[in-house]
Amino acid sequence: MKKSFIVIGLGRFGSSVARALEAMNCDVLAIDIVEDCVSKIASEVPHCLIADSTKINVLRDLGAASIDHAVVCIGNSLQASILTIMNLRKLGVKKITVRADEEDHKEVYKMLGATEVIIPEEASAISLANQIISDTILDYYVVSEDYAMVKTSVGKGFEQKTLVELDVRNRFDINIVGIIKSDGEFYIPRGTDTLNPGDVVVVVGKKPQIRKFDSFLNN
């Protein structure tokens, strides 16, 4: 069954989220109080409406109570974000991701019932810093405050080993969830699979442990 989402606030960030979810064949309802914001993405997100999320009756009439996940992207109004979160909670929406522009707002949103609060610029800055600090980290995605998912390359001097021999779970407390071979083929590895120089590995774990593993692969 498809997951259903409501994206509230269609500025640059919100409209990008709505487009991405629509492209992944999710059920997406996108709303904004500004007509121009709605019209800009209406051709890409069919269920796109002008609506005021600070009014609970509006959200109720739109069927927000049956939505799996709400994404609140009202970046320029603390009051509107607060009222929207409260309305979604009253309607019983269990998952609410909220965009915040300031660190001080994160705790406010969480206290009101947001299940996840993100600062897009902050997340992008962290990802960039972690990529440029190492020549071998190709992509870096912040999963939470402590954890990340990283694509990192295997150095030319690395000695071929199986994943069982590497024992990365016990040695580094990380998990290899994917390997990309030199021909671009991606697969989910088994313990008997080998890691070779030139491979790219997709790793999940705590950030300091990932950096240690990256150093191990490329020393």
Side-chain angles (χ1 to χ4, degrees):
M1 179 183 265
K2 289 184 186 179
K3 278 193 174 182
S4 58
F5 296 85
I6 181 168
V7 180
I8 301 170
L10 301 175
R12 187 164 50 185
F13 180 75
S15 58
S16 295
V17 172
R19 287 188 186 100
L21 290 170
E22 184 69 33
M24 290 185 281
N25 200 32
C26 299
D27 285 330
V28 183
L29 172 62
I31 69 171
D32 197 292
I33 199 169
V34 179
E35 182 179 359
D36 189 48
C37 292
V38 173
S39 62
K40 282 180 179 177
I41 71 163
S43 61
E44 299 167 86
V45 182
H47 298 101
C48 193
L49 300 169
I50 302 166
D52 185 355
S53 62
T54 66
K55 294 178 168 45
I56 192 168
N57 288 340
V58 171
L59 290 176
R60 184 183 287 114
D61 290 345
L62 290 174
S66 62
I67 293 286
D68 294 318
H69 197 144
V71 185
V72 181
C73 310
I74 310 170
N76 59 354
S77 175
L78 175 62
Q79 181 179 351
S81 294
I82 288 172
L83 290 171
T84 298
I85 295 165
M86 292 173 64
N87 289 340
L88 291 167
R89 289 291 293 167
K90 287 176 184 176
L91 291 172
V93 179
K94 293 181 179 178
K95 291 187 177 181
I96 306 172
T97 298
V98 183
R99 175 215 168 138
D101 284 336
E102 298 181 29
E103 187 69 30
D104 292 346
H105 295 170
K106 291 177 75 171
E107 286 305 314
V108 175
Y109 294 154
K110 286 182 179 179
M111 287 172 62
L112 291 169
T115 50
E116 181 184 24
V117 181
I118 59 171
I119 300 179
E121 292 80 6
E122 181 184 82
S124 297
I126 291 170
S127 296
L128 175 62
N130 279 278
Q131 285 182 58
I132 64 179
I133 203 170
S134 168
D135 292 333
T136 54
I137 289 180
L138 308 175
D139 203 358
Y140 190 101
Y141 175 74
V142 176
V143 177
S144 70
E145 187 174 341
D146 297 320
Y147 286 84
M149 178 178 288
V150 173
K151 278 169 59 178
T152 185
S153 58
V154 181
K156 293 180 179 179
F158 182 79
E159 181 183 348
Q160 182 189 68
K161 291 182 184 297
T162 67
L163 297 191
V164 169
E165 291 172 326
L166 286 170
D167 194 21
V168 297
R169 186 70 181 87
N170 290 316
R171 292 176 64 188
F172 297 97
D173 197 24
I174 56 98
N175 285 304
I176 296 176
V177 296
I179 295 177
I180 304 171
K181 307 305 286 186
S182 56
D183 61 1
E185 179 190 2
F186 172 87
Y187 66 95
I188 298 170
R190 299 178 179 176
T192 53
D193 291 327
T194 58
L195 205 56
N196 302 291
D199 288 346
V200 172
V201 291
V202 182
V203 180
V204 176
K206 288 189 174 181
K207 298 168 187 177
Q209 298 305 115
I210 289 175
R211 286 193 288 271
K212 288 180 183 178
F213 181 60
D214 176 55
S215 297
F216 166 75
L217 290 177
N218 292 283
N219 276 342

